Amino acid sequence: MRVLRRTLGTLLVLGVLGASVSCTAAHGDDAKPGGDRPAALAPYEQLLPAPAFVRAGGPGYAFGEGTVIRTGRADGDEGDEEVRRVGELLAEQLRGPSGLPLPVVDGAAGDGVRLRLDEGAAGLGAEGYRLETSASGVTLTARTPAGLFHAGQTLRQLLPVAGPGTVPGGTVTDAPRFAYRGAMLDIARHFFTVEQVKRYVDQLAEYKVNTLHLHLTDDQGWRIAIDGWPRLAEYGGGSEVGGGPGGYWTKDDYRELVAYAGQRYVDVVPEIDMPGHVNAAQASYAELNCDGKAPDRYTGIKVGFSSLCVGKERTYEFIDDVLGELAELTPGRYLHIGGDEAHSTPAADYAAFMDRAQQVVARHGKTVVAWHQLASARPARGAVLQYWGHDRTPAADKAAVAAAAKAGHQVILSPADRLYLDMKYDVTTKPGLVWAGYVPVRRSYDWNPGTYLSGVAESAVLGVEAPLWTETIATRHDLEFMAFPRVLSLAELGWSPTPRNWSTYRQRLASQAPRLNAQHIAYYRAPDVPWQ
């Protein structure tokens, strides 16, 4: 399928498909300064992320008072509960902007917006879809409910920001380049509520991001209740960077967020960072320290000073309890065990600890994800490495990741000087850090995950993820300002086929401004983007 999608994208670029429209133009850059407005893009050319294949033309569909959303299956069965739920959610997303009633009815036959589950549809994969518009309606076809959901998000972009309108005639056939398209949110340095994170989930899902990685614990705070170790949340959750009140999620809070994300086909990957980044845990329980003395809670931003006591058996009872409870709460396949910046853990101890931690994850039926430092130890079979290096990362570290990839380990790419959303855009940016350099919007977009790391073939790349660390980010406004519009670069890098270029992307990004404004999303108005 990846080869097929790349071929289709190339045919679009070369004009082989006649009336087709390419949303991923050939390489080259004729970008004008941000103030020079290029000609307005046609509706299908504005889609973000860019679909694999578009053919525009034919009569459009008048989306208005009489529009009905119909749900059903290709075999005529009208009783698929999940397809109905996808239809109800799409109706909810469209009612507010359009002002229309949009009733949802069983059965995909008739005029209107038709959600059609066809498990035998060729070429769509687990998340792909086909969107076909004619005078009688819009037909969304997919092999899975997830594909129907993604099709609905494309339909949202083909409709006006407000009011009724016309869906232009045409066909979209689409499927993602990478299976894993993620964003990480650190709620440990500064605490964010479930409602705040739900809002971020909605924003991510709208652009086909399918994974939310939650950094739940760090030196500054422990944010998830664990029954067997209650002081982790009750005491360890009571601090954050700068000395604020902190906070934590109950297990019901976490379940609520996981369920909410799952309804939008976003998997939650929880992270318990270890053996470093553990001061909040050690402050909560003295027995987790080699000397049996609990340190004070920490509210600064330094890293690398804390370490679990690798030689204590109680340490492994602790991680078994924590990871076991978290695995039970998490329906997804992955548990993230951190493993980065363990500067206070000797190399031999680090390797021994990660051996046992990975065994715990396997015992609870999950697959390990860890930061790429695991490559310097002994990654367990099937473990996924998350690379957060940058241009100045030592060659030996990159070589270790390449060796792990050649040994069969998949890699998630999160290069800090490309996808770290907490890096400042430029010298004028107030929140954020600069240790990996400035990351303007163009830099977040203008690279190819398939060829980024020497020695790591595209087939070894599970996907891409944009982390947002919160040492300097404490409000919803700052979260969104640092994420947008760079998280949209992540969405396109993860979903769209190659080739791509900045010249066309900046125009499509600009066309999203009215939607971002309508949803009251704070975003950085990059000066080299011709914002509408």
Side-chain angles (χ1 to χ4, degrees):
M1 276 305 299
R2 185 174 294 152
V3 173
L4 172 62
R5 290 197 295 275
R6 186 181 300 120
T7 301
L8 286 174
T10 303
L11 291 175
L12 285 169
V13 170
L14 296 176
V16 175
L17 296 177
S20 303
V21 176
S22 172
C23 292
T24 51
H27 287 293
D29 193 348
D30 57 358
K32 300 177 182 179
D36 294 344
R37 298 286 179 87
L41 297 174
Y44 284 105
E45 294 174 329
Q46 295 180 23
L47 292 174
L48 196 158
F53 171 81
V54 173
R55 177 175 281 123
Y61 171 67
F63 186 86
E65 284 292 335
T67 296
V68 173
I69 294 182
R70 304 179 182 277
T71 66
R73 298 174 60 95
D75 58 13
D77 184 357
E78 301 177 0
D80 192 292
E81 184 176 338
E82 191 169 3
V83 175
R84 171 79 184 210
R85 187 188 61 73
V86 173
E88 293 281 5
L89 180 54
L90 178 60
E92 179 184 331
Q93 292 171 330
L94 294 175
R95 283 176 187 135
S98 69
L100 301 174
L102 301 177
V104 180
V105 300
D106 290 333
D111 291 357
V113 177
R114 302 174 284 256
L115 277 67
R116 181 173 173 267
L117 189 69
D118 182 357
E119 291 156 346
L124 300 182
E127 293 186 276
Y129 65 90
R130 185 166 55 252
L131 182 153
E132 300 165 286
T133 303
S134 66
S136 66
V138 184
T139 302
L140 312 180
T141 303
R143 294 179 61 184
T144 67
L148 290 175
F149 177 83
H150 295 319
Q153 304 316 296
T154 297
L155 175 60
R156 291 174 69 185
Q157 291 189 35
L158 292 171
L159 286 165
V161 172
T166 298
V167 183
T171 299
V172 176
T173 304
D174 204 7
R177 180 182 183 187
F178 295 109
Y180 187 107
R181 307 175 304 282
M184 189 219 78
L185 182 60
D186 167 19
I187 67 170
R189 270 51 176 270
H190 277 105
F191 177 67
F192 287 87
T193 67
V194 167
E195 290 305 314
Q196 289 172 318
V197 179
K198 281 182 178 179
R199 177 176 166 87
Y200 196 38
V201 167
D202 281 329
Q203 294 163 353
L204 297 172
E206 184 173 355
Y207 292 95
K208 303 181 177 68
V209 176
N210 69 353
T211 306
L212 176 66
H213 168 187
L214 285 175
H215 187 77
L216 294 169
T217 68
D218 215 293
D219 291 313
Q220 298 86 350
W222 186 284
R223 306 302 182 204
I224 182 70
I226 301 296
D227 291 342
W229 300 74
R231 274 179 60 82
L232 291 171
E234 294 167 2
Y235 183 75
S239 58
E240 62 184 10
V241 168
Y248 69 90
W249 291 1
T250 66
K251 291 176 113 174
D252 283 343
D253 290 335
Y254 181 80
R255 290 187 186 99
E256 180 183 341
L257 187 280
V258 168
Y260 187 88
Q263 290 167 359
R264 288 145 182 82
Y265 301 94
V266 175
D267 288 335
V268 172
V269 176
E271 180 186 355
I272 304 296
D273 207 346
M274 58 181 84
H277 291 277
V278 291
N279 193 82
Q282 292 179 313
S284 303
Y285 287 95
E287 63 199 279
L288 296 178
N289 299 273
C290 288
D291 61 4
K293 297 178 182 179
D296 294 334
R297 290 185 292 198
Y298 182 67
T299 60
I301 64 171
K302 292 181 179 179
V303 299
F305 62 88
S306 61
S307 177
L308 289 171
C309 190
V310 174
K312 271 191 175 182
E313 197 59 32
R314 185 62 169 155
T315 295
Y316 303 100
E317 295 172 3
F318 162 73
I319 65 171
D320 188 52
D321 290 343
V322 169
L323 295 180
E325 289 193 32
L326 203 53
E328 187 176 347
L329 293 169
T330 304
R333 64 181 295 190
Y334 298 116
L335 282 185
H336 202 304
I337 58 172
D340 64 321
E341 297 174 325
H343 305 321
S344 296
T345 311
D349 286 351
Y350 175 85
F353 175 87
M354 295 304 278
D355 284 348
R356 294 194 63 176
Q358 291 178 93
Q359 292 168 11
V360 171
V361 172
R363 191 157 60 246
H364 291 291
K366 301 296 184 181
T367 298
V368 167
V369 183
W371 299 107
H372 72 259
Q373 282 76 10
L374 179 61
S376 66
R378 293 177 287 268
R381 184 175 182 180
V384 177
L385 304 180
Q386 184 168 0
Y387 178 78
W388 61 273
H390 47 91
D391 285 355
R392 299 187 305 277
T393 294
D397 292 355
K398 296 178 181 179
V401 175
K406 289 175 182 176
H409 295 279
Q410 291 188 297
V411 179
I412 299 167
L413 293 174
S414 300
D417 55 351
R418 300 283 184 173
L419 287 184
Y420 265 36
L421 302 179
D422 56 307
M423 294 296 108
K424 292 177 182 286
Y425 293 98
D426 57 31
V427 69
T428 68
T429 311
K430 291 183 179 178
L433 301 170
V434 294
W435 60 262
Y438 295 115
V439 181
V441 175
R442 179 170 184 170
R443 185 166 179 81
S444 72
Y445 177 79
D446 206 4
W447 61 288
N448 183 356
T451 59
Y452 176 74
L453 268 183
S454 177
V456 177
E458 180 167 335
S459 58
V461 177
L462 181 61
V464 288
E465 180 179 293
L468 180 53
W469 303 98
T470 61
E471 287 95 335
T472 67
I473 297 164
T475 66
R476 191 195 87 185
H477 175 278
D478 285 354
L479 185 161
E480 292 178 357
F481 180 80
M482 297 302 282
F484 287 88
R486 291 180 296 192
V487 78
L488 303 186
S489 301
L490 171 283
E492 177 141 324
L493 289 166
W495 183 278
S496 301
T498 53
R500 65 172 63 80
N501 76 32
W502 169 251
S503 179
T504 55
Y505 177 73
R506 64 192 282 271
Q507 296 180 56
R508 288 187 292 109
L509 184 57
S511 73
Q512 298 301 311
R515 300 184 185 280
L516 299 175
N517 294 334
Q519 295 176 40
H520 305 289
I521 296 174
Y523 63 97
Y524 172 67
R525 295 179 68 86
D528 51 352
V529 174
W531 298 104
Q532 294 184 9

